Amino acid sequence: MNYFLRKLGFYAVALWAALTVNFAIPRMMPGDPVDILLAKLQQRGGTVTPETREAYALLLGGDDSVPLWQQYLDYLRNLLRGELGVSVSYYPAEVSDVISQSIPWTVVLVGLSTVIAACLGVALGAFAGWRPGTWLDSLVPATTLLAAVPYFWLALLLTYVLARVLGWFPMQGGYDVALTPGWDADFVLSAVRYGFLPALTIVLASVGAWLMGMRNMMVSTLSEDYILTAEAKGLRPGRILRNYAARNAVLPSVAGFAISLGFVVSGSVITEQVFSYPGIGSRLLGAVTNNDYALMQGVFLFITLAVLGANLVVDLLYGLIDPRTRARS
């Protein structure tokens, strides 16, 4: 019980520290979101008066007359109420609305791609490590080469070959704009067709790391005494592979998989930008470009909660699965 309480306390402090950093970093960046919003208003023919500026400053939390500590307390108070502020980039939309519209796209795209890459890489890595030197083991350098290729270059290459030359998939977007978003078959098929290239990019770029990690753990596990004991008992190779070697070698991959799922909500900024995909990564890039403090803080908040939550789940599961973890703590 003390182990779990210590873990919960640690992550509570980590959450507070992350929220504090989340509050401080955007305010250390140059630029003022109020000035950016007023400049956009002027470009559209609006009239900017001192009263207008004061109203927008109060709305966006950019009033210099308010002390920083008061802004920090208001920030924490608004978080508890679920109020993330108003986005400058998508004014007058609420930050929560912008994020809620973008996260489903990112979770489906990056989440499914991460699951596919992890399962495929772990399975191939288990077989490659079980029989070192075979043809499957020779594929490891090719997959690590793909992992070393920059995301944007791989995305542009796939776009050129599969979309521009062969014309199999659309080049950009998340769905056919002629369709109305919904759960009908036409829209879902359109979203799948538009999301195939971004998903393929993520899978190809990340499967090599999963394969290499699992393969190396398998090679190390095969030298353990319990593997030799299982072989000496005359157990079938398939049973040794499943119940002894792969079962123990996969533990680090399970931890890495949980942490990777935590980063799913952050999206793949470069991939989404190349394909103009309407995910959270594109929203984050737009927020940084426009010094949109509220949207940046909202996105960072979701990323922080997801990553801390994933790490907490891993630590608690390890405490349940491996009693030695609790004993060392």
Side-chain angles (χ1 to χ4, degrees), residues 62-243:
D63 190 358
D64 295 333
S65 63
V66 179
L68 190 62
W69 64 268
Q70 184 63 47
Q71 294 183 30
Y72 178 69
L73 293 180
D74 292 340
Y75 162 73
L76 295 179
R77 193 178 301 112
N78 290 334
L79 285 183
L80 292 177
R81 292 199 298 257
E83 298 177 2
L84 303 179
V86 179
S87 171
V88 173
S89 308
Y90 303 94
Y91 182 83
E94 296 280 344
V95 170
S96 56
D97 295 334
V98 176
I99 294 177
S100 63
Q101 293 173 5
S102 304
I103 276 195
W105 293 95
T106 293
V107 169
V108 172
L109 172 66
V110 185
L112 288 179
S113 301
T114 301
V115 171
I116 293 173
C119 294
L120 183 62
V122 168
L124 293 177
F127 285 106
W130 179 250
R131 291 288 184 266
T134 60
W135 66 270
L136 184 59
D137 198 22
S138 63
L139 294 178
V140 175
T143 58
T144 54
L145 177 62
L146 288 175
V149 172
Y151 259 39
F152 70 91
W153 189 87
L154 183 59
L156 292 174
L157 178 63
L158 292 176
T159 302
Y160 177 78
V161 175
L162 298 180
R164 184 178 181 86
V165 176
L166 299 177
W168 290 351
F169 302 98
M171 297 179 63
Q172 293 182 329
Y175 60 93
D176 189 348
V177 294
L179 300 175
T180 302
W183 290 106
D184 56 281
D186 292 338
F187 178 79
V188 172
L189 291 176
S190 175
V192 170
R193 185 166 178 265
Y194 274 78
F196 184 85
L197 281 183
L200 182 62
T201 302
I202 297 173
V203 170
L204 291 179
S206 57
V207 69
W210 295 105
L211 194 157
M212 175 66 75
M214 185 62 181
R215 185 260 181 197
N216 292 341
M217 284 302 303
M218 280 291 294
V219 172
S220 176
T221 302
L222 290 178
S223 62
E224 297 291 340
D225 293 338
Y226 56 83
I227 299 295
L228 299 177
T229 302
E231 292 176 344
K233 289 182 177 180
L235 299 180
R236 292 175 298 175
R239 183 178 179 184
I240 298 176
L241 171 62
R242 293 189 306 271
N243 297 346

Side-chain angles (χ1 to χ4, degrees), residues 3 6-7 315 318-319 321-329:
Y3 168 82
R6 283 195 297 268
K7 286 297 179 182
D315 282 344
Y318 261 87
I321 296 173
D322 191 352
R324 295 173 298 177
T325 305
R326 299 194 299 270
R328 289 195 296 266
S329 299

